[in-house]
C-alpha cells in the first residue's frame, strides 16, 4: 500500500511543511513507527488536528496494522466519552496534557501522547478492517464507516489518475483529517509522494493566503463554504500563478458559482474539478472533467476510474432514481459499537447513496436531492435541498430544515423580510407549514457543511 516505504529514494522527499519546519516521508514514518513499536493490533482512536503529530500517528497506525479511528480533536468531552464508551479503544492518541479515565500515557510524540487502556477489553476485529471514520463530523455520533486498505488504495489511485497528481505538487490542509475529503487530500499527496503544507488556520485568516503563496502551493481543495469565501477574496497573481489544480466537493455549489470559478481559474491556466462522493466510498464517486464543466454545468460528473453509476430501481446506467454506485472503493459497511468491528463486507461493492439523481446518455450524474432531505408537507413531497438552492440563488444566505408538515428557513436578522418575500414568491407553501426564523449564526460543521443537526435541534 502507498503508506508503506518506497525503495527508490522518494521517501527522502519533503512530505510535510509545518511552522517553517520540513519533514521528509522517512522522518514521518520513523515518528509513527516509533510510537507504535510495542503495541498489538487494536483500535487506536486519534484526536485529530492538522499537525505533523496527527499525520505521523495516523500513518504509524496504518503501517503497524492497527485500526485508526479518526475523530475531531475539538469534540466536546461528553461526545468523546460517548465514542470511547461505544468502542473501548485499546489506545488513544491525544494531547499529552489530557486526562482520560481508565487510560494512562504509554508513549510520546511531540505534543501528543499515546494513552493505553488499563482495563483491556478484547475486541474482535475483522482481518480486512483498516480504518474507521465517523459519519457525522463533529456531532459526536459514534456511527462509523468501516474501510479496508483496498478501499482506500482503490479510491486514491482513481483520484490521482484523473487529477494527474505528481511528486512535484504541493497541497495544503484546508480541510480536517477526520473529514473524509480532507483525509483523501492527504492520501493523494502520499500516493504521489508530493508535499503538503500543514495549517490549522481558517480560510478567513488572511495570513493563510500569504503562506499559500510563499510555499508555492499548487493544489487547493475546498467545500462550498470555501468557494463562497473565495468569491470575496482576491487571490494574488503569484498565488494563481503557482496553482495547477483546484477541487470542489463536500456539497452542492450553485451552478453560477461553478461557472464563475471554472472561468476564473481557466483564465489562469488552472484546472477546476467539481467532485462528488460519500465517506462510504472512501470517499470519491464522481468528478467533472474540466473540459466539460460548462457543457455539463450542474452535474457532478462521471464515475471515477474503476467505478460505475446506476439507477438503483432499474439497474440501468441512464435514467432517474436513487443513485447506486458500484466500485472497489465501496466500504464494508457501518459500525456503531465495538461489537460491529468483526463484521465482514456487508455492502459487497455496492453503495446505495440515498441521493436521487439523473444519469444522462453521456454517463454524467446530476443530483436532484437527498432522500433524507425530503419531507412531506400536507402529503406533498418537498426537497429541502431544492428549496434551499432556490432561495440561495436569489441571494439569500440561509439554511433550510424541516420535518413532517414543517419547513423552516433559518436566516440572519437583516434578511428576514427578504426571506419571507422569497418564500411567497417562489413556493406555494401554506402559511401554517413554512416559516422564517432568525439565527444569530448559520452554523457549519467542521467540514464546512451546513449544520442541519444543530439547527434542527433548536428549531424543530
Amino acid at each position: 500500500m502507498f503508506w508503506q516505504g518506497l525503495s527508490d529514494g522518494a521517501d527522502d522527499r519533503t512530505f510535510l511543511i509545518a511552522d517553517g519546519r520540513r519533514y521528509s516521508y522517512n522522518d514521518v514514518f520513523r515518528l509513527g513507527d516509533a510510537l507504535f513499536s510495542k503495541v498489538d493490533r487494536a483500535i487506536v482512536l486519534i484526536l485529530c488536528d492538522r499537525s505533523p503529530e496527527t499525520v505521523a500517528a495516523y500513518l504509524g497506525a496504518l503501517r503497524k496494522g492497527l485500526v485508526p479511528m479518526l475523530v475531531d480533536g475539538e469534540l466536546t468531552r461528553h461526545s468523546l466519552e460517548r465514542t470511547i464508551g461505544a468502542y473501548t479503544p485499546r489506545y488513544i492518541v491525544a494531547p499529552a496534557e489530557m486526562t482520560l479515565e481508565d487510560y494512562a500515557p504509554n508513549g510520546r510524540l511531540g505534543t501528543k501522547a499515546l494513552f493505553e487502556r488499563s482495563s483491556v477489553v478484547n475486541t474482535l476485529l475483522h482481518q480486512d478492517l483498516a480504518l474507521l471514520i465517523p459519519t457525522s463530523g463533529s456531532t459526536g455520533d459514534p456511527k462509523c464507516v468501516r474501510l479496508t486498505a483496498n478501499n482506500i488504495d482503490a479510491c486514491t489511485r482513481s483520484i490521482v489518475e484523473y487529477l494527474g497528481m505528481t511528486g512535484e505538487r504541493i497541497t495544503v490542509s484546508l480541510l480536517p483529517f477526520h473529514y473524509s475529503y480532507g483525509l483523501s487530500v492527504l492520501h493523494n499527496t502520499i500516493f504521489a509522494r508530493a508535499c503538503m503544507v500543514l495549517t490549522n488556520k481558517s480560510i478567513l485568516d488572511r495570513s493563510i493566503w500569504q503562506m499559500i503563496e510563499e510555499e508555492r502551493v499548487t493544489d487547493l481543495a475546498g467545500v462550498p463554504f470555501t468557494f463562497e469565501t473565495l468569491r470575496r477574496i482576491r487571490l494574488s497573481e503569484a498565488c494563481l500563478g503557482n496553482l495547477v489544480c483546484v477541487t470542489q466537493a463536500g456539497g452542492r455549489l450553485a451552478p453560477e458559482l461553478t461557472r464563475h470559478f471554472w472561468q476564473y481559474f481557466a483564465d489562469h491556466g488552472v484546472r477546476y474539478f467539481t467532485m462528488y462522493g460519500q465517506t462510504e466510498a472512501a470517499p470519491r464517486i464522481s468528478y467533472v472533467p474540466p473540459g466539460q464543466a460548462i457543457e455539463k454545468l450542474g452535474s457532478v460528473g462521471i464515475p471515477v476510474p474503476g467505478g460505475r453509476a446506476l439507477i438503483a430501481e432499474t439497474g440501468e446506467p441512464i435514467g432517474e432514481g436513487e443513485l447506486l454506485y458500484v466500485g472497489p472503493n465501496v466500504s464494508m459497511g457501518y459500525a456503531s459499537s465495538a461489537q460491529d468491528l468483526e463484521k465482514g463486507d456487508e455492502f459487497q461493492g455496492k453503495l446505495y447513496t440515498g441521493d436521487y439523481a439523473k444519469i444522462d446518455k453521456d454517463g454524467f450524474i446530476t443530483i436532484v436531492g437527498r432522500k433524507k432531505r425530503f419531507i412531506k408537507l400536507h402529503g406533498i413531497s418537498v426537497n429541502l435541498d431544492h428549496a434551499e438552492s432556490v432561495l440561495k440563488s436569489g441571494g439569500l444566505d440561509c439554511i433550510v430544515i424541516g420535518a413532517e408538515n414543517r419547513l423552516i428557513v433559518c436566516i440572519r436578522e437583516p434578511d428576514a423580510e427578504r426571506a419571507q418575500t422569497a418564500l411567497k414568491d417562489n413556493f406555494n407553501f401554506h402559511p401554517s407549514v413554512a416559516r422564517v426564523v432568525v439565527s444569530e449564526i448559520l452554523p457549519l460543521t467542521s467540514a464546512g457543511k451546513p449544520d442541519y443537526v444543530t439547527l434542527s435541534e433548536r428549531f424543530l
Side-chain angles (χ1 to χ4, degrees):
M1 295 298 170
F2 59 85
W3 49 81
Q4 301 298 342
L6 300 178
S7 58
D8 61 359
D11 289 345
D12 292 326
R13 304 174 68 114
T14 297
F15 174 18
L16 303 177
I17 301 174
D19 298 322
R21 183 175 176 184
R22 281 165 158 71
Y23 301 79
S24 71
Y25 277 87
N26 281 325
D27 291 337
V28 175
F29 291 159
R30 279 193 291 266
L31 288 170
D33 293 349
L35 184 66
F36 297 114
S37 62
K38 298 178 181 178
V39 306
D40 300 318
R41 178 168 163 81
I43 298 296
V44 53
L45 186 152
I46 301 176
L47 284 170
C48 295
D49 57 13
R50 286 169 274 172
S51 68
E53 291 90 347
T54 289
V55 176
Y58 171 60
L59 291 176
L62 288 179
R63 287 160 60 85
K64 182 70 173 183
L66 299 168
V67 179
M69 179 179 183
L70 305 183
V71 300
D72 186 357
E74 300 297 320
L75 272 186
T76 65
R77 191 72 182 203
H78 173 74
S79 295
L80 176 59
E81 289 172 353
R82 183 167 55 180
T83 300
I84 292 172
Y87 291 94
T88 57
R90 176 79 175 270
Y91 305 103
I92 296 177
V93 175
E97 67 273 13
M98 279 192 77
T99 56
L100 296 164
E101 187 177 352
D102 207 24
Y103 287 84
N106 189 25
R108 188 72 182 258
L109 177 57
T111 61
K112 313 288 186 187
L114 175 65
F115 294 85
E116 183 172 3
R117 191 174 182 88
S118 52
S119 55
V120 176
V121 177
N122 290 318
T123 301
L124 296 176
L125 304 177
H126 191 277
Q127 61 182 4
D128 294 333
L129 182 62
L131 174 63
L132 293 168
I133 303 183
T135 59
S136 60
S138 304
T139 66
D141 184 343
K143 184 179 180 181
C144 288
V145 171
R146 297 180 290 120
L147 292 164
T148 71
N150 286 333
N151 294 153
I152 301 166
D153 187 71
C155 192
T156 305
R157 286 178 184 275
S158 293
I159 299 170
V160 167
E161 177 182 331
Y162 72 73
L163 293 184
M165 288 286 293
T166 69
E168 306 308 313
R169 304 277 271 274
I170 303 173
T171 62
V172 58
S173 63
L174 297 183
L175 302 168
F177 293 137
H178 67 271
Y179 171 41
S180 58
Y181 183 14
L183 186 64
S184 177
V185 175
L186 177 63
H187 289 162
N188 303 340
T189 305
I190 298 168
F191 190 100
R193 287 308 191 260
C195 176
M196 173 173 272
V197 179
L198 294 182
T199 178
N200 279 300
K201 292 179 180 178
S202 162
I203 59 168
L204 299 174
D205 186 334
R206 284 199 164 270
S207 67
I208 197 174
W209 300 106
Q210 181 180 350
M211 179 197 68
I212 285 171
E213 178 183 327
E214 291 173 350
E215 297 296 350
R216 304 179 66 84
V217 167
T218 63
D219 289 64
L220 295 179
V223 296
F225 175 72
T226 311
F227 291 92
E228 288 161 4
T229 302
L230 273 179
R231 185 73 184 267
R232 302 190 294 270
I233 296 175
R234 186 177 180 83
L235 296 181
S236 70
E237 288 300 314
C239 180
L240 288 165
N242 294 328
L243 286 177
V244 173
C245 180
V246 175
T247 62
Q248 182 268 313
R252 183 180 183 273
L253 192 66
E256 58 270 23
L257 273 182
T258 298
R259 183 191 294 274
H260 167 80
F261 281 112
W262 179 87
Q263 189 64 62
Y264 176 66
F265 289 117
D267 287 345
H268 292 84
V270 180
R271 291 177 300 142
Y272 177 84
F273 290 83
T274 294
M275 309 191 303
Y276 160 77
Q278 294 184 359
T279 302
E280 293 87 340
R284 195 59 53 230
I285 289 174
S286 67
Y287 72 103
V288 180
Q292 295 172 279
I294 301 304
E295 174 194 354
K296 299 293 186 178
L297 194 63
S299 166
V300 295
I302 56 176
V304 298
R308 291 186 296 144
L310 305 169
I311 298 301
E313 291 84 349
T314 65
E316 296 296 323
I318 186 170
E320 183 172 351
E322 183 181 0
L323 179 65
L324 168 62
Y325 174 76
V326 181
N329 51 318
V330 174
S331 68
M332 300 169 74
Y334 300 109
S336 295
S337 68
Q339 287 68 43
D340 297 326
L341 302 183
E342 63 176 320
K343 291 180 178 178
D345 185 354
E346 297 179 306
F347 285 177
Q348 294 294 308
K350 296 180 179 181
L351 175 59
Y352 291 84
T353 63
D355 284 331
Y356 286 112
K358 295 179 181 177
I359 306 177
D360 69 17
K361 61 182 177 58
D362 300 316
F364 278 75
I365 306 160
T366 299
I367 303 299
V368 179
R370 179 77 184 157
K371 263 186 167 181
K372 292 182 180 178
R373 291 274 290 156
F374 277 77
I375 61 170
K376 289 290 183 73
L377 296 181
H378 293 327
I380 304 299
S381 183
V382 174
N383 181 346
L384 296 178
D385 289 327
H386 173 69
E388 186 174 283
S389 177
V390 168
L391 295 174
K392 283 185 172 181
S393 67
L396 290 171
D397 185 14
C398 64
I399 294 177
V400 177
I401 57 175
E404 188 78 8
N405 291 330
R406 280 184 293 167
L407 182 143
I408 296 176
V409 179
C410 302
I411 199 137
R412 295 187 182 91
E413 179 73 45
D415 289 329
E417 272 192 45
R418 286 181 59 218
Q420 292 279 13
T421 302
L423 261 180
K424 293 176 183 176
D425 290 347
N426 290 284
F427 308 103
N428 60 352
F429 302 140
H430 191 275
S432 66
V433 298
R435 65 189 178 102
V436 173
V437 300
V438 172
S439 177
E440 291 181 6
I441 60 169
L442 297 179
L444 301 174
T445 68
S446 62
K449 296 183 180 182
D451 192 345
Y452 297 115
V453 172
T454 295
L455 288 174
S456 296
E457 289 175 347
R458 181 178 174 189
F459 293 117
L460 288 178

